[in-house]
Amino acid sequence: MRCMVMVRATAESEAGVMPSQQLLAQMTAFNEELVKAGVMLAGEGLKPSSQGKRVVFAGGRRSVVDGPFAEAKELIAGFWLWQVRSMDEALEWARRCPAPFEGDCAIEIRPLFEADDFGEAFTPELRAAEERMREELAGKI
């Protein structure tokens, strides 16, 4: 199963406070473990929401909202994409992760939809298009 592992933002991360050298070293070591185990597919940190934008879809229109966005605890400061056997395995890895920030912080794990989750609505033609896109993306890595 693939899952998105999201590091929740904090007031400090939203203020642009950078991690210490010690935390960077701990996270690098953890990421190396994930890669060696074949778990990590991708992972990145995100800049504060003050540098971001949202596109809002409402009433058939699109509007752009400039960051920063309210409620740091609802924002994402970074992510991993993991390939694991189960949610239990993902939890085992997350429990081994260094705390992403000093003080209170959280990591959220969410499974990704797979093709079979969409049932009959995901027609053979749509599946073929999805597979072509995945192959193209794989060639860019």
Side-chain angles (χ1 to χ4, degrees):
M1 104 181 210
R2 291 177 304 147
C3 60
M4 174 74 67
V5 182
M6 296 166 280
V7 176
R8 290 292 189 171
T10 64
E12 291 78 21
S13 68
E14 276 296 291
V17 175
M18 298 302 287
S20 68
Q21 181 179 4
Q22 178 182 0
L23 179 56
L24 288 172
Q26 291 171 338
M27 280 296 186
T28 298
F30 180 67
N31 287 340
E32 287 175 339
E33 285 183 61
L34 291 168
V35 169
K36 286 178 185 172
V39 170
M40 186 170 159
L41 302 175
E44 300 292 341
L46 301 174
K47 291 186 177 185
S49 69
S50 61
Q51 297 183 40
K53 299 195 182 286
R54 282 188 179 157
V55 177
V56 178
F57 299 82
R61 299 189 141 174
R62 291 164 178 83
S63 59
V64 176
V65 178
D66 294 330
F69 307 121
E71 295 296 326
K73 67 182 180 181
E74 299 298 325
L75 300 173
I76 303 301
F79 71 92
W80 289 279
L81 184 59
W82 290 351
Q83 177 74 50
V84 292
R85 290 182 300 277
S86 65
M87 181 60 81
D88 287 340
E89 182 184 3
L91 284 169
E92 288 175 27
W93 281 105
R95 286 184 179 113
R96 294 173 52 190
C97 180
F101 303 107
E102 291 186 26
D104 295 344
C105 56
I107 293 176
E108 179 179 338
I109 305 167
R110 305 241 323 255
L112 273 63
F113 279 111
E114 300 294 347
D116 290 342
D117 294 325
F118 295 104
E120 293 179 17
F122 201 47
T123 64
E125 295 80 15
L126 293 172
R127 286 175 186 260
E130 178 77 14
E131 186 59 34
R132 282 192 307 274
M133 286 186 285
R134 287 188 187 276
E135 288 173 8
E136 186 176 335
L137 287 171
K140 293 182 179 185
I141 297 176

